Amino acid sequence: MSSLTTRKAGKASKLTKPVKANKSGKLHKGPSLWYTAPALIFFGVFALIPLVGVLVLSFMNWDGLGSITFNGIGNWTRMLSDPLVLNAFKLTIILTIVSWAVQTPICILLGTFMAGNQKYRAFLAVFYFLPLLFSSTAVAITWKNLLDPNFGVGKAFGIGWLAHNWLGDPKTALWTVIFVVSWCFIPLHSLLYQGAVRQIPQTMYEAATIDGAGPVRQFFSITLPQLKYTFATDSTLMIVGSLTYFDLVYVMGGGPGNATRILPLDMYLKGFKSYDMGGASVVGVIILALGIAVSLILNKVSGSDKMESQMEGA
């Protein structure tokens, strides 16, 4: 019996590979860092190098065709005192805050509703997700035609208030763009909340039901707290996305008197219309700085950078 045990132990020792120690004498655990090489190379080539190029170009004078000359902080001084840039910055902040304030509660409610197991909810979800099937350009062209005061929906059905020139009026152009942006992207963010709600253990709702908690109380006491990290992630995507909207705003006309000239549109007009690549690069760096700052603040405030589990004790 002992000889059989010895033979089995010997075979097991041959099959088990010893854990190697590195040069510092510590045992090596987990996969090698070389596995990250392809992702790091891809990120460096398509993200870091272009970002460094834009940052360097923000200190240069270049019309896109001729020679590049050094300009120091001249572009920065000129852009930070440019009324168009300042107005674009204000409009971008308004668009970002209002879009987030409008989309977030609607997305949470829709995501929670669609997370149910009833068949009619799955049927309605098909219609909620239709905007995801269309490109942003197609959405912009469609809404621009629907809201046209001469041959749009309002004119066709004789609805006076709907026949208003929503995109041509400086007072309503930005709010119309915010409405179209929200209509276009609410399905995407609702999908994120739907997936998050379905990950919440049903035992929590069952216990709350036994304790006498109704649907409203369960929503505020269970669902919302469990969506903490999803809220942080989705808010980051939503806000950073709002900072980079271009195609929707550009195709819908831009509005009169720069009423919807947000930072991405201002960057495009400076770079490819005025041939001021240095100034456009400054605007691009400002957008990048805003996006990074918002992401870091949201991660810090929400605590999602600590990677804590919400299911602990559930």
Side-chain angles (χ1 to χ4, degrees):
M1 186 69 179
S2 58
S3 60
L4 178 61
T5 304
T6 304
R7 287 198 298 270
K8 289 183 178 180
K11 292 180 180 179
S13 61
K14 291 179 180 180
L15 295 175
T16 305
K17 295 182 179 180
V19 179
K20 296 181 179 180
N22 54 25
K23 294 181 179 180
S24 61
K26 297 181 180 180
L27 295 179
H28 178 76
K29 297 181 179 180
S32 172
L33 291 178
W34 285 107
Y35 286 107
T36 63
L40 291 177
I41 294 173
F42 186 87
F43 180 75
V45 172
F46 294 100
L48 290 182
I49 294 178
L51 289 178
V52 173
V54 170
L55 182 61
V56 172
L57 193 58
S58 66
F59 297 97
M60 306 292 177
N61 277 336
W62 187 40
D63 60 1
L65 296 174
S67 59
I68 302 176
T69 58
F70 182 72
N71 190 30
I73 62 172
N75 291 329
W76 285 88
T77 304
R78 181 165 52 88
M79 289 298 105
L80 294 179
S81 60
D82 187 349
L84 289 176
V85 176
L86 297 178
N87 181 66
F89 181 83
K90 182 186 72 172
L91 294 178
T92 302
I93 297 300
I94 294 174
L95 173 67
T96 301
I97 295 176
V98 176
S99 295
W100 176 85
V102 169
Q103 294 182 57
T104 300
I106 297 176
C107 293
I108 293 176
L109 293 175
L110 282 177
T112 304
F113 173 78
M114 292 182 295
N117 296 322
Q118 294 85 349
K119 292 184 179 180
Y120 74 92
R121 300 193 185 198
F123 176 76
L124 292 176
V126 175
F127 296 97
Y128 295 148
F129 293 147
L130 280 179
L132 290 177
L133 303 178
F134 311 134
S135 67
S136 298
T137 303
V139 169
I141 294 175
T142 301
W143 278 103
K144 183 178 180 180
N145 290 327
L146 289 175
L147 296 174
D148 190 281
N150 298 316
F151 56 86
V153 175
K155 186 71 172 180
F157 292 95
I159 305 175
W161 65 270
L162 193 56
H164 177 74
N165 191 6
W166 296 96
L167 290 171
D169 187 350
K171 297 180 180 179
T172 59
L174 181 63
W175 306 108
T176 304
V177 169
I178 292 174
F179 168 78
V180 176
V181 165
S182 301
W183 181 89
C184 186
F185 291 100
I186 279 177
L188 171 62
H189 301 288
S190 298
L191 188 62
L192 297 178
Y193 283 109
Q194 178 189 12
V197 172
R198 287 184 173 176
Q199 296 301 315
I200 301 176
Q202 290 299 314
T203 53
M204 301 179 69
Y205 293 102
E206 294 171 359
T209 302
I210 294 174
D211 291 338
V216 176
R217 182 60 184 273
Q218 292 179 18
F219 175 77
F220 285 100
S221 299
I222 298 177
T223 305
L224 282 183
Q226 292 296 317
L227 294 178
K228 175 183 177 182
Y229 295 145
T230 304
F231 174 80
T233 302
D234 184 72
S235 296
T236 302
L237 294 174
M238 195 179 296
I239 293 175
V240 173
S242 298
L243 293 174
T244 57
Y245 287 146
F246 170 75
D247 46 1
L248 273 171
V249 182
Y250 180 76
V251 175
M252 292 183 73
N258 302 311
T260 58
R261 183 166 173 162
I262 57 176
L263 285 175
L265 184 59
D266 183 74
M267 178 180 65
Y268 169 78
L269 294 176
K270 279 183 168 52
F272 296 96
K273 295 294 184 180
S274 301
Y275 302 104
D276 183 8
M277 296 300 176
S281 298
V282 172
V283 178
V285 173
I286 293 175
I287 297 174
L288 173 65
L290 286 175
I292 294 176
V294 168
S295 300
L296 293 177
I297 291 173
L298 284 174
N299 285 336
K300 190 67 177 179
V301 171
S302 65
S304 59
D305 56 337
K306 299 178 182 179
M307 299 299 290
E308 298 173 344
S309 174
Q310 291 180 273
M311 300 302 170
E312 184 177 354

